[in-house]
Amino acid sequence: MSHGTARPLVSIVTVCLNSEEHLEQTIASVRGQTYDNIEYIVVDGGSEDATLDILRRNEGGISRWISEPDEGIYDAMNKGLALCRGELIGMINSDDWYLPTSVEEVVKASLEHPDVDVFFGDLLVFYRDGRYMETIAGSLAGLRRDMTLNHPTCFMKRAGLDGEVFRTDLRLASDYELMLRLRRAGATFHHVARPLACYRTGGKSFDHRLRYRELYAVRREYKLISEGGYRMRMALLPLTVLIARCEERVLGMTFKGRPSKSLLAVDRRFKAWLKRMLRLE
């Protein structure tokens, strides 16, 4: 592994816990990159399923892995970041995977834009069973409202990351808070306008209520919404959660063949209308 401007070392971190179902696909996507100057680090939270067997079986493609209890996903991410030596750092979770040329595309962009601190791209979204759902374009303009940079596609310059990078008092919105913090500090961002990563939906334990509570709290902290706007959103939180759960239910339906694009379009238009009506944006 070499450092240098022509072929910078890229560190990739995966955090996992009882991830036997999809971890091997994530590892294979890192090992199959067309760019080969990669340091791959896996941080396991003390899995009790076959995750450790998968890690041992793939040790030849992993630079370093550790398995020990942690204080949550962002604590695990901080552990992984502390081990990174690369000039660029990407993080891909154990349910997600990269496209084959993703790292090569990011390295190319970093050489063309040496003053940029954070690179992000578009995200391919898949149902839990592997069927394609939609493509979500990364957007810096939308960052005032939500984490619109598509976290699995993000690569950051290590030079701008010091100490505990992710806040561990947040359980679901720390990646969003980090991007707001970096932007406030003057970091520059660049959109690599092509899909870089694939995201699998349908995590059974996802807590919509907690996500929105933290999202609104972070937006208030960064003065992206007023105190009155925060109180209004919290009052409407049950309705917001209900909408999210209904969407999850509808889009999680089993379709024959490809998912219905018309249904997705209707869903997006309905959410946009509802947000305007409730003045949530």
Side-chain angles (χ1 to χ4, degrees):
M1 296 180 180
S2 60
H3 296 260
T5 31
R7 293 186 66 256
L9 176 64
V10 178
S11 296
I12 294 175
V13 177
T14 292
V15 300
C16 59
L17 177 65
N18 296 327
S19 302
E20 64 180 6
E21 187 175 5
H22 299 296
L23 177 59
E24 202 136 26
Q25 182 182 18
T26 306
I27 295 173
S29 78
V30 176
R31 297 182 67 173
Q33 289 298 302
T34 54
Y35 185 82
D36 62 356
N37 194 20
I38 293 175
E39 169 190 62
Y40 187 32
I41 296 167
V42 180
V43 179
D44 175 72
S47 292
E48 297 179 350
D49 63 358
T51 294
L52 299 188
D53 294 332
I54 293 171
L55 293 176
R56 295 186 187 101
R57 187 163 64 243
N58 289 276
E59 282 182 331
I62 301 174
S63 306
R64 181 174 181 181
W65 66 271
I66 60 174
S67 180
E68 61 186 27
D70 54 53
E71 300 301 320
I73 187 171
Y74 294 119
D75 179 44
M77 287 182 178
N78 283 334
K79 289 181 180 182
L81 289 173
L83 298 173
C84 290
R85 300 179 297 119
E87 297 168 47
L88 282 166
I89 299 175
M91 309 197 77
I92 189 79
N93 289 336
S94 57
D95 268 350
D96 309 329
W97 67 100
Y98 287 128
L99 296 175
T101 62
S102 296
V103 176
E104 183 178 357
E105 295 289 351
V106 171
V107 169
K108 179 182 177 183
S110 73
L111 296 177
E112 293 174 350
H113 305 279
D115 295 330
V116 169
D117 302 298
V118 180
F119 299 87
F120 63 97
D122 300 340
L123 186 69
L124 301 181
V125 182
F126 291 81
Y127 287 100
R128 200 74 184 167
D129 62 7
R131 291 173 297 132
Y132 170 77
M133 178 189 290
E134 63 178 331
T135 299
I136 301 177
S139 168
L140 182 60
L143 192 61
R144 293 177 57 85
R145 300 187 302 273
D146 208 335
M147 180 51 178
T148 54
L149 301 188
N150 294 328
H151 185 250
T153 74
C154 289
F155 287 78
M156 303 172 287
K157 291 278 185 70
R158 185 169 65 94
L161 304 175
D162 296 312
E164 187 177 274
V165 177
F166 290 100
R167 277 175 39 180
T168 54
D169 61 313
L170 297 170
R171 289 174 51 197
L172 294 175
S174 193
D175 53 342
Y176 179 54
E177 189 280 330
L178 172 61
M179 294 304 158
L180 291 178
R181 190 183 345 138
L182 290 174
R183 194 175 189 192
R184 175 184 280 183
T188 52
F189 295 76
H190 176 76
H191 179 209
V192 181
R194 64 191 64 203
L196 296 179
C198 303
Y199 170 79
R200 183 180 282 105
T201 64
K204 294 180 181 178
S205 62
F206 191 76
D207 189 333
H208 291 289
R209 182 176 297 276
L210 178 60
R211 177 189 181 274
Y212 282 110
R213 287 179 68 92
E214 291 191 350
L215 174 69
Y216 298 153
V218 169
R219 291 181 67 192
R220 177 181 62 170
E221 178 182 342
Y222 280 82
K223 302 188 185 307
L224 300 177
I225 54 175
S226 65
E227 184 63 32
Y230 171 76
R231 289 197 298 269
M232 179 189 70
R233 285 164 174 79
M234 292 305 295
L236 293 171
L237 183 61
L239 178 60
T240 306
V241 172
L242 177 62
I243 293 167
R245 288 175 177 165
C246 288
E247 179 188 28
E248 194 174 63
R249 176 81 174 180
V250 170
L251 297 184
M253 291 169 62
T254 300
F255 296 95
K256 293 182 180 180
R258 284 186 172 274
S260 169
K261 291 184 178 179
S262 60
L263 181 59
L264 287 173
V266 169
D267 173 70
R268 299 299 179 224
R269 287 197 294 270
F270 172 72
K271 286 201 302 183
W273 172 82
L274 190 62
K275 287 179 178 179
R276 288 196 300 271
M277 291 295 292
L278 297 177
R279 301 180 183 274
L280 292 179
E281 296 300 332

